[in-house]
């Protein structure tokens, strides 16, 4: 076979092989052809991520579907110098999410993801519109049973209504003072509404509370301490901390 190219009569232009031109262009396998990785920037950190992971989220599916409209030169996400920049997420949140797809990560074995990881995943799943990951994060957070203030914070921030009432009840039943961290999580407006309930329950713990049905039992000598609250010596009604907390919070939630 000759090493030199066949040339046209002018001796300059290579002859066109029409047989090669007519060959069918190879097609990409629908399952086993990966479109590759994309470069993501969050704050000052670059990530090179499989595009399949990002396509779990509606916001990225829309982005890649309309890539030619917003990325005409087709270099965004392909080079470190031109990454896809993501706002509204921190490196910790993004890494917590990526570890769900990494079977060798610290999320496996005895080192399970902590509350902070699932809260991070809940944040991104809510922001990037993935119902499956959002529900998984909600279930895992419930399993971990964080303190009531954290449930309240997440319920308010990520619209998980079922957490609000039970968490408020548990917070009101606590006998310890509210901490500065709890105030920052709950927020002052809600805390101001919960404080009167906590004060009444604190008085109940000291057996100094008025029995509403009979209007008596206002002083220590008129009530009898119980393990869960107090009992009125006049009418015998047991005033239970849990029952009082549930009723008061329900009234507050239904306002």
């Amino acid at each position: 076979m000759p090493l030199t190219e066949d040339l046209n009569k002018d001796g300059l232009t290579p002859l066109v092989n029409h047989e090669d031109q007519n060959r069918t262009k190879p097609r990409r396998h629908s399952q086993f052809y990966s479109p590759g990785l994309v470069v993501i920037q969050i704050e000052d950190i670059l990530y090179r991520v499989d595009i399949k992971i990002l396509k779990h989220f509606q916001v990225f599916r829309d982005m890649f579907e309309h890539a030619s409209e917003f990325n005409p030169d087709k270099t965004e996400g392909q080079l470190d110098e031109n990454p896809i920049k993501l706002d509204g997420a921190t490196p910790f949140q993004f890494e917590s999410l990526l570890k769900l797809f990494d079977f060798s990560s610290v999320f496996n074995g005895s080192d399970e993801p902590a509350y902070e990881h699932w809260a991070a995943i809940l944040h991104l799943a809510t922001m990037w519109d993935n119902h499956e990951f959002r529900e998984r994060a909600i279930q895992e957070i419930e399993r971990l049973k964080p303190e009531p203030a954290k449930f309240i914070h997440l319920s308010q921030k990520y619209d998980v209504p079922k957490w609000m009432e039970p968490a408020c009840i548990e917070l009101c039943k606590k006998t310890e003072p509210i901490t500065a961290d709890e105030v920052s999580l709950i927020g002052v407006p809600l805390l101001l509404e919960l404080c009167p309930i906590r004060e009444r329950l604190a008085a109940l713990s000291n057996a100094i509370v008025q029995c509403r049905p009979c209007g008596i039992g206002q002083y220590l000598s008129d009530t009898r301490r119980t393990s869960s609250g107090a009992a009125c010596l006049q009418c015998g009604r047991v005033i239970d901390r849990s029952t009082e907390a549930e009723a008061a919070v329900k009234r507050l939630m239904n306002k």
Side-chain angles (χ1 to χ4, degrees):
M1 189 172 180
L3 298 178
T4 57
E5 291 181 309
D6 292 333
L7 302 178
N8 280 326
K9 292 181 178 180
D10 60 9
L12 299 176
T13 310
L15 289 171
V16 175
N17 190 328
H18 294 286
E19 183 181 347
D20 289 342
Q21 273 192 333
N22 293 330
R23 286 176 183 170
T24 304
K25 183 179 179 181
R27 59 188 178 86
R28 296 172 178 176
H29 192 282
S30 59
Q31 183 178 0
F32 299 114
Y33 184 97
S34 174
L37 308 177
V38 292
V39 181
I40 300 292
Q41 180 177 346
I42 298 180
E43 295 181 2
D44 61 346
I45 299 178
L46 293 176
Y47 303 86
R48 195 161 180 82
V49 182
D50 191 328
I51 197 171
K52 291 179 181 178
I53 293 177
L54 299 179
K55 283 188 173 181
H56 280 84
F57 302 93
Q58 184 63 50
V59 63
F60 291 108
R61 290 198 296 273
D62 293 342
M63 178 189 298
F64 296 131
E65 183 179 347
H66 302 288
S68 59
E69 300 175 24
F70 302 104
N71 184 21
D73 60 359
K74 298 182 180 180
T75 63
E76 186 180 23
Q78 302 303 310
L79 305 171
D80 285 3
E81 293 75 20
N82 191 19
I84 297 173
K85 297 181 180 179
L86 300 182
D87 297 322
T90 66
F92 175 80
Q93 291 170 338
F94 193 55
E95 290 159 23
S96 296
L97 179 66
L98 293 179
K99 286 176 181 177
L100 284 182
F101 300 90
D102 181 6
F103 295 105
S104 64
S105 75
V106 295
F107 274 26
N108 297 288
S110 58
D111 296 325
E112 292 188 351
Y115 159 81
E116 290 76 15
H117 295 111
W118 287 114
I121 293 167
L122 177 60
H123 172 81
L124 295 184
T126 301
M127 181 172 67
W128 292 341
D129 194 17
N130 183 293
H131 179 75
E132 179 185 352
F133 288 168
R134 175 180 158 86
E135 287 303 310
R136 170 81 185 280
I138 288 172
Q139 292 172 9
E140 293 294 337
I141 291 169
E142 289 174 350
R143 183 180 62 83
L144 292 170
K145 295 182 173 63
E147 61 190 76
K150 290 180 178 178
F151 268 127
I152 292 172
H153 171 70
L154 296 180
S155 176
Q156 292 175 316
K157 189 170 184 179
Y158 303 117
D159 190 24
V160 190
K162 66 177 180 176
W163 287 347
M164 180 60 75
E165 186 174 303
C168 286
I169 291 171
E170 290 304 312
L171 187 72
C172 288
K173 287 163 59 178
K174 282 183 60 176
T175 56
E176 301 84 2
I178 298 291
T179 66
D181 287 341
E182 288 175 320
V183 173
S184 65
L185 288 170
I186 299 166
V188 173
L190 178 59
L191 186 60
L192 290 176
E193 294 188 281
L194 295 177
C195 278
I197 301 174
R198 283 178 50 85
E199 290 170 4
R200 174 171 171 77
L201 293 177
L204 184 60
S205 297
N206 296 322
I208 306 174
V209 63
Q210 185 174 20
C211 177
R212 287 174 179 165
C214 67
I216 311 177
Q218 188 172 1
Y219 302 104
L220 183 60
S221 59
D222 297 321
T223 57
R224 173 174 54 83
R225 291 288 300 276
T226 70
S227 59
S228 59
C232 178
L233 296 179
Q234 300 297 319
C235 68
R237 175 179 178 264
V238 175
I239 309 169
D240 179 74
R241 283 180 56 82
S242 294
T243 303
E244 285 289 306
E246 290 174 13
V249 170
K250 284 182 183 295
R251 288 193 296 270
L252 175 62
M253 297 291 113
N254 293 328
K255 284 174 58 177

